[in-house]
Amino acid sequence: MAKNILIISSDYTGHGHKSITDSLLEKFSLYPDVNVHVVDGFTFIGNLGLRIGKLYGSITRNAKELWKLIWDMSLKRPSLVNEMVEVSIRDNFLDLLRNLKPDLILSVHPNFNGSVLNILEENNIKIPFVTFIADLVSITPLWADPRADYIICPTKESKYKCLEFGVSESKLKLIGFPVRQKFLEHLTKDTEQRTYTRNRPLECLIMSGGEGSGNMSTIARILLKNFNCKVKIVTGRNKILKRRLERTLYDKFGTERVEIYGFTENVQDLMLSSDLAITRGSPNTMMEVVACNVPLIVTGNLPGQEEGNPGYIIKHNLGVVCKDTRRLKSVVKELLVNNGSKLKQIKRSQKKFLNPNVAKEIVDFILSIETPEKINIPDENATKFWDIGKKISIPRKIKLKRKIILKKNKSI
C-alpha cells in the first residue's frame, strides 16, 4: 500500500482541480499512516508557471477563441505539449522526487501527465503513476497516456474516449466524479428536503464556476422581471464583475431580492437553500449542485473540454440546457408548470444518479495499488546528460535553452 503519495494539481486553472484534490484529501485523512503531498504543477516552472496558471481565468472569460486554439493543439499535438512541459519542469520535478521520495504519483491535471511520464521513463524511475480525469465527456489525449499505470474515469463517456486514444481497458477504472464532503453532509442530516411550491418565491442561484464568467446580469434581470423570485449570484474570483452587479442590480431590485457573493467557502449553503441553479457547464460546479439535489439550468460551456457537458446533463435528466438567454423565460416557466412537477422529476433523477461514496472509492482503489519496496531516483549529477541525442519538436526559444545545457555538459 502506498504510504507516501504525491498529488499534482493546480490552484488557479479553474477551481475544479483543487476541489477534486480536497475531496480526496478528506478521505486520505482517514488513514493516519498515509502521507499526502499536494503540489501545484505550475510551480515546477517557477514564477512564470504560476503566472501562466493564473491567466486561465482571464482567457476563459475574455478570449474563448484563444482557449479553443489551445484545446485544438492538445488534440492534434499532445506530444508537443508534453515535450514543452517536460523541458520546463524536469529539474524542479526531479528535485521534488528526491526530497519527497513518493511511492505513488496521482495527477489531476492533464498538462502534467505525459511530461511527468516522460521524465520517469527517461530516468528509469519506477513509481506507479495514476491519473484522475477531471472532465466528464470531452477528453483531451493529454488525459489518456497509455503509459500510466491506471486512469480513473468519472464517466462511461470518458472511459470510451480513453479506449479510443489507445489506453488498455485493464488500466481504466470507472468510479465517478468526487465532490467535497460539505456538499454531501445534508444526506445524513434529518432535515426536510426542499421542495418548490407556488406559495413562496422561487429561490434561484446563478453561478459560473470559480472564475465568474457568463451573462449573469442578463440572466438575473430576466428572472427578477418575470418571476416571483429571489436571486443569489456567486461571481467567484471575478471582483470586477461583483462590483458591477452590485452597482446595477441593487439599485433596481433591492437587496431583499438580490444577494451577490464573491468567492465563498460556504457555497453549499447557497445551493441547499435554492430551488434552481443556473450555471455554466463546469463539471465540478455541476456535480456539486447535483450532490445538493438542486435542479440545473446549464447556460453554456467553454469550448473544448466542456462541450459535451450540457448533453451529459440532459442524458441523465440532471437539469435542462438553455444557451440562449432569450429562451430563459420560457424554460423556467416550463420547469414551474404544475407546481414545479419537472423540478421534482429532476430532483428524483439526481438522487438516483448520485453516488456519495465516490471520493472514498477512489482513495481505496489508489491505496490498493501495489508499490515497489524500493524506488531508485538518480542523483542530480547522474541526470545531467538526460537529453543528449534526444530529438524532440519544441519551440526555438526552448531549443536554445537546451543547446546551452548541452554545451555546458560537453565542457564538464
Side-chain angles (χ1 to χ4, degrees), residues 1 36 197 242 329 338:
M1 184 177 84
V36 180
T197 68
K242 181 176 184 291
K329 179 180 175 181
N338 296 327

Side-chain angles (χ1 to χ4, degrees), residues 194 203-205 232 269-277 294:
R194 186 175 187 83
E203 296 282 351
C204 301
L205 176 63
K232 299 183 287 288
D269 295 331
L270 301 180
M271 292 180 182
L272 291 168
S273 63
S274 300
D275 301 301
L276 184 63
V294 180

Side-chain angles (χ1 to χ4, degrees), residues 221 240-252 260:
R221 289 173 184 275
I240 295 174
L241 176 61
K242 181 176 184 291
R243 290 194 296 268
R244 186 169 72 241
L245 292 176
E246 288 172 341
R247 186 173 62 252
T248 57
L249 295 179
Y250 283 164
D251 288 345
K252 187 171 181 63
I260 302 174

Side-chain angles (χ1 to χ4, degrees), residues 257-277:
R257 296 190 68 195
V258 182
E259 298 175 24
I260 302 174
Y261 302 84
F263 185 81
T264 173
E265 294 290 349
N266 298 315
V267 68
Q268 75 280 359
D269 295 331
L270 301 180
M271 292 180 182
L272 291 168
S273 63
S274 300
D275 301 301
L276 184 63

Side-chain angles (χ1 to χ4, degrees), residues 113 131 133 139-146 151 161-162 165-167:
N113 297 324
T131 295
I133 299 175
I139 304 301
T140 170
L142 297 176
W143 281 122
D145 196 305
I151 298 176
K161 290 299 293 184
C162 287
F165 291 137
V167 181

Side-chain angles (χ1 to χ4, degrees), residues 1-8 35-39 44 93-106 116 120 125-129 371-377:
M1 184 177 84
K3 296 292 184 71
N4 197 25
I5 296 172
L6 169 63
I7 298 180
I8 303 175
N35 296 313
V36 180
H37 310 269
V38 178
V39 177
F44 294 139
F93 176 70
L94 284 172
D95 284 344
L96 182 73
L97 291 188
R98 295 183 189 105
N99 290 328
L100 291 184
K101 296 180 173 56
D103 47 22
L104 184 142
I105 299 172
L106 170 65
V116 166
L120 296 178
I125 301 172
K126 306 294 185 181
I127 300 177
F129 185 90
T371 57
E373 290 185 9
K374 184 178 181 181
I375 297 172
N376 293 318
I377 302 173

Side-chain angles (χ1 to χ4, degrees), residues 380-397:
E380 185 176 358
N381 291 328
T383 61
K384 280 185 178 180
F385 302 94
W386 70 281
D387 59 357
I388 294 179
K390 185 184 177 192
K391 296 181 180 179
I392 56 177
S393 301
I394 54 181
R396 183 174 179 275
K397 287 185 179 179

Side-chain angles (χ1 to χ4, degrees), residues 22-63:
D22 288 345
S23 72
L24 300 180
L25 288 175
E26 290 171 346
K27 303 309 175 184
F28 276 121
S29 68
L30 301 175
Y31 299 88
D33 56 339
V34 175
N35 296 313
V36 180
H37 310 269
V38 178
V39 177
D40 184 328
F42 288 92
T43 62
F44 294 139
I45 310 174
N47 291 332
L48 174 62
L50 285 176
R51 288 199 294 270
I52 292 171
K54 289 178 180 180
L55 283 174
Y56 174 88
S58 178
I59 292 173
T60 55
R61 285 195 303 267
N62 306 313

